[in-house]
Amino acid sequence: MKNLFQRVKSKLHALIFWQSSIGDFANKMYDLKLFYKYSFKNNNFKSKESEIAFLTKQYHIVEKGLALPNPRLGFGKEKINLLVDRTKQYYKKNGDDALVISIKNCLLEYIEFNKKNNVKIEGDYFKSITDFIGLNKNHNEGGTLEINKTDLQNRTNIDFENFVKSRFSVRDFAEKDVEIEVIKKAVNIAKYAPSVCNRQSWKAHVYTQKENILSLLKIQGGSNGFSDNINKLIIITTDTKAFTKLESNQIYIDGGLFSMNLVLSLHSQGIGACCLNTCFPFTSEKKVKQIGTIPENEKVIMMIGIGNLKETYKVAISRKKDLTQIMTIH
Ligand SMILES: Cc1cc2nc3c(=O)[nH]c(=O)nc-3n(C[C@H](O)[C@H](O)[C@H](O)COP(=O)(O)O)c2cc1C
């Protein structure tokens, strides 16, 4: 009896705590703790992931500079010096991996652009770049790509409006298993989502075991009444190691963009999906990470319950707001 009383008392305390602003504060502190523990500052890397994120961010400055209508000749000297210097250090440890090759290709295009515009490729600055990159273009990754409007129109000639409007959150699935290959295909499409300086810090954890799925959904709490129906569970996370100061919000933005792309990709593969919130205390996030074997440095963005479609099923209409309520022309 005493035990039961104590259990009820502690549940009540927890409930009051998480409903109060102190609970919100504690959640924010947890997020900040993760951010400061794992993110990187300037060129100070605590992990290979942060080093990769920094180099990606830095060479993307060159890539996007080259895609401007009128790039300034010799642009980005300071940033490129830092890029070359840091890439050399990375190269010593990792050799010519896909990242280094992309950086070299991008810098080669930078040199060619300057040459074409009669800039003399001489002096310490250009020499340090050319010494590092060599002069062979290895493949087409890194740098810019020329798009032909007609080709593009052919590739985008789909009924996107109908496609988007035909997606609903599905909570009633067929029993048939969703094949892993189909999920792989959807994730492979979803990775084309935009991300801050192309850092692509998202992860998709796919759970296939019923017992695991149910334990995770029990913590989530928003799938009551259909958790048994969910065939596979995807947890989207973002790696805090990929971010630097002033970027803590980007964790959620990039994770959200990837999640949306994934939901649409699953829809394109004929798989039903329902996003599932992670509006829970950080203590629950820790439990999710423990059960889901998700590393501490990843921030949980959302869960997505998926399943094959029944021949007929019901969905909530979830009426959309009128255009006038969401759009302001300034
Ligand atoms: C981040 C996020 C969290 C959500 N969490 C839940 C949830 O826990 N349980 C649920 O049944 N639906 C959840 N949904 C689904 C929403 O209820 C649904 O997207 C909304 O009503 C719009 O309907 P639609 O997806 O059919 O357009 C969530 C959606 C999002 C984007």
Side-chain angles (χ1 to χ4, degrees):
M1 188 67 190
K2 198 176 159 205
N3 238 350
L4 180 73
F5 176 72
Q6 250 157 8
R7 279 220 314 268
V8 172
K9 200 174 141 196
S10 93
K11 278 241 179 265
L12 212 67
H13 268 147
L15 202 71
I16 294 169
F17 180 75
W18 291 116
Q19 290 308 318
S20 71
S21 21
I22 306 171
D24 271 338
F25 183 74
N27 269 343
K28 286 279 169 227
M29 291 313 285
Y30 172 73
D31 289 356
L32 266 185
K33 189 189 116 189
L34 283 192
F35 186 68
Y36 283 115
K37 188 166 171 190
Y38 293 107
S39 64
F40 63 92
K41 272 202 204 90
N42 298 327
N43 316 308
N44 185 2
F45 314 120
K46 292 173 238 165
S47 64
K48 185 176 174 187
E49 288 86 347
S50 290
E51 200 176 356
I52 291 174
F54 171 80
L55 293 178
T56 306
K57 173 178 180 303
Q58 203 71 5
Y59 95 82
H60 185 64
I61 295 171
V62 187
E63 226 177 23
K64 68 184 177 193
L66 289 166
L68 293 178
N70 296 302
R72 192 166 46 80
L73 301 180
F75 73 85
K77 203 169 166 181
E78 214 176 292
K79 295 202 159 88
I80 292 175
N81 272 333
L82 184 61
L83 171 67
V84 171
D85 186 48
R86 296 298 146 150
T87 310
K88 276 186 192 163
Q89 291 177 14
Y90 176 88
Y91 173 78
K92 269 189 209 151
K93 291 175 276 175
N94 304 285
D96 262 331
D97 68 4
L99 174 63
V100 173
I101 290 174
S102 296
I103 294 172
K104 285 183 175 179
N105 284 340
C106 179
L107 289 173
L108 180 59
E109 187 173 329
Y110 174 79
I111 294 290
E112 280 167 355
F113 156 76
N114 280 291
K115 244 190 217 164
K116 215 168 98 190
N117 287 286
N118 305 319
V119 175
K120 287 211 164 65
I121 306 302
E122 56 189 24
D124 290 349
Y125 171 56
F126 286 117
K127 190 172 177 325
S128 79
I129 303 175
T130 51
D131 281 355
F132 174 60
I133 60 178
L135 290 171
N136 296 321
K137 198 162 164 45
N138 286 299
H139 57 68
N140 286 329
E141 282 177 16
T144 61
L145 181 71
E146 191 164 272
I147 304 285
N148 176 291
K149 193 174 166 185
T150 313
D151 292 345
L152 184 74
Q153 280 163 346
N154 288 333
R155 289 181 72 182
T156 55
N157 188 16
I158 55 162
D159 190 351
F160 187 67
E161 182 177 352
N162 200 22
F163 175 74
V164 169
K165 286 184 178 172
S166 64
R167 185 208 59 83
F168 290 90
S169 289
V170 182
R171 299 176 178 86
D172 180 15
F173 303 104
E175 269 183 27
K176 190 175 164 239
D177 276 341
V178 177
E179 286 172 24
I180 292 296
E181 285 311 309
V182 181
I183 303 176
K184 279 190 187 165
K185 173 132 196 236
V187 175
N188 237 337
I189 299 173
K191 74 182 186 191
Y192 286 83
S195 65
V196 64
C197 297
N198 195 28
R199 267 169 278 171
Q200 307 168 52
S201 57
W202 42 62
K203 312 267 176 210
H205 297 267
V206 181
Y207 299 92
T208 58
Q209 303 302 313
K210 197 84 195 162
E211 202 185 321
N212 238 356
I213 293 174
L214 289 176
S215 310
L216 291 163
L217 289 176
K218 195 166 170 211
I219 302 169
Q220 192 269 336
S223 62
N224 291 343
F226 68 104
S227 48
D228 270 335
N229 241 314
I230 290 172
N231 185 261
K232 303 268 182 312
L233 184 70
I234 306 176
I235 299 186
I236 306 299
T237 66
T238 320
D239 189 354
T240 49
K241 288 180 181 173
F243 298 94
T244 186
K245 53 186 166 33
L246 296 178
E247 292 184 343
S248 59
N249 283 354
Q250 213 58 47
I251 292 171
Y252 310 96
I253 296 167
D254 285 10
L257 286 168
F258 176 72
S259 302
M260 183 70 254
N261 245 23
L262 182 56
V263 168
L264 288 176
S265 304
L266 289 162
H267 184 48
S268 78
Q269 300 304 303
I271 302 297
C274 185
C275 301
L276 299 167
N277 74 77
T278 49
C279 313
F280 42 45
F282 73 87
T283 45
S284 300
E285 175 161 341
K286 280 180 158 181
K287 276 189 213 148
V288 165
K289 286 178 174 173
Q290 192 198 351
I291 297 173
T293 57
I294 297 171
E296 191 194 41
N297 50 293
E298 292 180 30
K299 177 74 200 151
V300 175
I301 302 298
M302 70 169 77
M303 299 188 182
I304 305 176
I306 64 170
N308 272 306
L309 299 176
K310 284 181 164 176
E311 283 308 312
T312 56
Y313 55 95
K314 273 192 181 173
V315 294
I317 290 176
S318 296
R319 195 188 79 78
K320 304 304 176 198
K321 287 183 177 177
D322 294 335
L323 181 64
T324 50
Q325 291 175 283
I326 53 177
M327 187 171 118
T328 309
I329 297 175
H330 295 273

mmCIF file of all heavy atoms in Angstrom, residues 167-169 171 220 222 226 274-277 302 318 320, ligand 1:
data_model
loop_
_atom_site.group_PDB
_atom_site.id
_atom_site.type_symbol
_atom_site.label_atom_id
_atom_site.label_comp_id
_atom_site.label_asym_id
_atom_site.label_seq_id
_atom_site.Cartn_x
_atom_site.Cartn_y
_atom_site.Cartn_z
ATOM 1 N N ARG A 167 -1.454 12.616 -50.191
ATOM 2 C CA ARG A 167 -0.816 12.059 -48.983
ATOM 3 C C ARG A 167 -1.623 12.425 -47.744
ATOM 4 O O ARG A 167 -2.025 13.565 -47.566
ATOM 5 C CB ARG A 167 0.610 12.598 -48.808
ATOM 6 C CG ARG A 167 1.341 11.948 -47.643
ATOM 7 C CD ARG A 167 2.394 12.858 -47.034
ATOM 8 N NE ARG A 167 1.829 14.106 -46.547
ATOM 9 C CZ ARG A 167 1.240 14.253 -45.349
ATOM 10 N NH1 ARG A 167 1.144 13.231 -44.512
ATOM 11 N NH2 ARG A 167 0.738 15.429 -44.995
ATOM 12 N N PHE A 168 -1.913 11.443 -46.944
ATOM 13 C CA PHE A 168 -2.562 11.654 -45.644
ATOM 14 C C PHE A 168 -1.772 10.852 -44.626
ATOM 15 O O PHE A 168 -1.147 9.843 -44.969
ATOM 16 C CB PHE A 168 -4.008 11.114 -45.656
ATOM 17 C CG PHE A 168 -4.941 11.914 -46.511
ATOM 18 C CD1 PHE A 168 -5.119 11.598 -47.855
ATOM 19 C CD2 PHE A 168 -5.654 12.982 -45.973
ATOM 20 C CE1 PHE A 168 -5.983 12.333 -48.652
ATOM 21 C CE2 PHE A 168 -6.526 13.722 -46.767
ATOM 22 C CZ PHE A 168 -6.696 13.396 -48.109
ATOM 23 N N SER A 169 -1.835 11.261 -43.381
ATOM 24 C CA SER A 169 -1.254 10.426 -42.323
ATOM 25 C C SER A 169 -2.074 9.155 -42.231
ATOM 26 O O SER A 169 -3.302 9.209 -42.112
ATOM 27 C CB SER A 169 -1.281 11.152 -40.984
ATOM 28 O OG SER A 169 -0.346 12.186 -40.996
ATOM 29 N N ARG A 171 -2.988 5.617 -40.325
ATOM 30 C CA ARG A 171 -2.911 4.976 -38.996
ATOM 31 C C ARG A 171 -3.499 3.569 -39.013
ATOM 32 O O ARG A 171 -3.627 2.934 -37.982
ATOM 33 C CB ARG A 171 -3.635 5.856 -37.970
ATOM 34 C CG ARG A 171 -3.017 7.251 -37.829
ATOM 35 C CD ARG A 171 -3.798 8.136 -36.877
ATOM 36 N NE ARG A 171 -3.164 9.452 -36.728
ATOM 37 C CZ ARG A 171 -3.362 10.489 -37.523
ATOM 38 N NH1 ARG A 171 -4.191 10.393 -38.571
ATOM 39 N NH2 ARG A 171 -2.750 11.644 -37.315
ATOM 40 N N GLN A 220 6.782 7.010 -26.757
ATOM 41 C CA GLN A 220 6.283 8.101 -27.605
ATOM 42 C C GLN A 220 4.880 8.519 -27.172
ATOM 43 O O GLN A 220 4.597 9.702 -26.999
ATOM 44 C CB GLN A 220 6.315 7.651 -29.088
ATOM 45 C CG GLN A 220 6.096 8.785 -30.072
ATOM 46 C CD GLN A 220 4.625 8.972 -30.438
ATOM 47 O OE1 GLN A 220 3.815 8.050 -30.342
ATOM 48 N NE2 GLN A 220 4.281 10.184 -30.871
ATOM 49 N N GLY A 222 1.974 8.763 -28.614
ATOM 50 C CA GLY A 222 0.977 9.375 -29.506
ATOM 51 C C GLY A 222 0.413 8.398 -30.526
ATOM 52 O O GLY A 222 -0.259 8.818 -31.479
ATOM 53 N N PHE A 226 -3.135 2.527 -32.415
ATOM 54 C CA PHE A 226 -2.659 1.973 -33.704
ATOM 55 C C PHE A 226 -1.202 1.501 -33.659
ATOM 56 O O PHE A 226 -0.639 1.101 -34.673
ATOM 57 C CB PHE A 226 -2.914 2.926 -34.884
ATOM 58 C CG PHE A 226 -2.114 4.215 -34.888
ATOM 59 C CD1 PHE A 226 -1.030 4.369 -35.742
ATOM 60 C CD2 PHE A 226 -2.466 5.270 -34.079
ATOM 61 C CE1 PHE A 226 -0.306 5.547 -35.779
ATOM 62 C CE2 PHE A 226 -1.743 6.463 -34.090
ATOM 63 C CZ PHE A 226 -0.669 6.599 -34.935
ATOM 64 N N CYS A 274 2.886 7.712 -40.798
ATOM 65 C CA CYS A 274 2.352 8.713 -39.870
ATOM 66 C C CYS A 274 3.513 9.248 -39.029
ATOM 67 O O CYS A 274 4.218 8.472 -38.366
ATOM 68 C CB CYS A 274 1.284 8.089 -38.963
ATOM 69 S SG CYS A 274 0.508 9.326 -37.897
ATOM 70 N N CYS A 275 3.720 10.564 -39.116
ATOM 71 C CA CYS A 275 4.744 11.190 -38.268
ATOM 72 C C CYS A 275 4.291 11.063 -36.821
ATOM 73 O O CYS A 275 3.095 11.157 -36.530
ATOM 74 C CB CYS A 275 4.869 12.684 -38.581
ATOM 75 S SG CYS A 275 5.301 13.051 -40.268
ATOM 76 N N LEU A 276 5.235 10.871 -35.936
ATOM 77 C CA LEU A 276 4.911 10.724 -34.510
ATOM 78 C C LEU A 276 5.803 11.657 -33.709
ATOM 79 O O LEU A 276 7.040 11.601 -33.840
ATOM 80 C CB LEU A 276 5.107 9.268 -34.075
ATOM 81 C CG LEU A 276 4.220 8.242 -34.823
ATOM 82 C CD1 LEU A 276 4.704 6.825 -34.576
ATOM 83 C CD2 LEU A 276 2.756 8.384 -34.417
ATOM 84 N N ASN A 277 5.170 12.514 -32.926
ATOM 85 C CA ASN A 277 5.928 13.571 -32.236
ATOM 86 C C ASN A 277 6.873 13.017 -31.176
ATOM 87 O O ASN A 277 6.666 11.914 -30.643
ATOM 88 C CB ASN A 277 4.957 14.564 -31.601
ATOM 89 C CG ASN A 277 4.288 13.991 -30.367
ATOM 90 O OD1 ASN A 277 4.890 13.926 -29.308
ATOM 91 N ND2 ASN A 277 3.050 13.547 -30.514
ATOM 92 N N MET A 302 11.902 13.122 -34.893
ATOM 93 C CA MET A 302 10.548 12.551 -34.869
ATOM 94 C C MET A 302 10.616 11.058 -35.168
ATOM 95 O O MET A 302 11.652 10.538 -35.590
ATOM 96 C CB MET A 302 9.614 13.243 -35.868
ATOM 97 C CG MET A 302 9.905 12.975 -37.324
ATOM 98 S SD MET A 302 8.584 13.576 -38.415
ATOM 99 C CE MET A 302 8.905 15.332 -38.439
ATOM 100 N N SER A 318 -8.080 16.182 -41.612
ATOM 101 C CA SER A 318 -7.105 17.221 -41.233
ATOM 102 C C SER A 318 -7.197 18.433 -42.167
ATOM 103 O O SER A 318 -6.282 18.697 -42.963
ATOM 104 C CB SER A 318 -5.673 16.665 -41.237
ATOM 105 O OG SER A 318 -5.514 15.673 -40.260
ATOM 106 N N LYS A 320 -7.092 21.741 -44.156
ATOM 107 C CA LYS A 320 -5.981 22.691 -44.286
ATOM 108 C C LYS A 320 -6.518 24.123 -44.234
ATOM 109 O O LYS A 320 -7.639 24.390 -44.689
ATOM 110 C CB LYS A 320 -5.217 22.462 -45.595
ATOM 111 C CG LYS A 320 -4.699 21.024 -45.768
ATOM 112 C CD LYS A 320 -3.822 20.546 -44.623
ATOM 113 C CE LYS A 320 -3.396 19.083 -44.786
ATOM 114 N NZ LYS A 320 -2.912 18.477 -43.545
HETATM 115 C C1 LIG B 1 6.082 16.348 -36.107
HETATM 116 C C2 LIG B 1 4.731 15.661 -36.182
HETATM 117 C C3 LIG B 1 4.315 14.908 -35.108
HETATM 118 C C4 LIG B 1 3.106 14.207 -35.183
HETATM 119 N N1 LIG B 1 2.747 13.401 -34.134
HETATM 120 C C5 LIG B 1 1.664 12.620 -34.246
HETATM 121 C C6 LIG B 1 1.359 11.668 -33.221
HETATM 122 O O1 LIG B 1 2.060 11.557 -32.229
HETATM 123 N N2 LIG B 1 0.270 10.861 -33.392
HETATM 124 C C7 LIG B 1 -0.527 10.945 -34.512
HETATM 125 O O2 LIG B 1 -1.494 10.171 -34.606
HETATM 126 N N3 LIG B 1 -0.256 11.837 -35.504
HETATM 127 C C8 LIG B 1 0.813 12.671 -35.400
HETATM 128 N N4 LIG B 1 1.137 13.553 -36.418
HETATM 129 C C9 LIG B 1 0.311 13.606 -37.623
HETATM 130 C C10 LIG B 1 -0.535 14.857 -37.662
HETATM 131 O O3 LIG B 1 -1.651 14.700 -36.848
HETATM 132 C C11 LIG B 1 -0.927 15.120 -39.126
HETATM 133 O O4 LIG B 1 0.238 15.298 -39.889
HETATM 134 C C12 LIG B 1 -1.813 16.365 -39.291
HETATM 135 O O5 LIG B 1 -3.052 16.201 -38.682
HETATM 136 C C13 LIG B 1 -2.033 16.662 -40.768
HETATM 137 O O6 LIG B 1 -2.621 15.574 -41.396
HETATM 138 P P1 LIG B 1 -2.007 14.903 -42.683
HETATM 139 O O7 LIG B 1 -0.647 14.389 -42.312
HETATM 140 O O8 LIG B 1 -2.948 13.780 -43.047
HETATM 141 O O9 LIG B 1 -1.929 15.962 -43.733
HETATM 142 C C14 LIG B 1 2.295 14.308 -36.335
HETATM 143 C C15 LIG B 1 2.726 15.117 -37.398
HETATM 144 C C16 LIG B 1 3.924 15.780 -37.321
HETATM 145 C C17 LIG B 1 4.384 16.615 -38.487
#
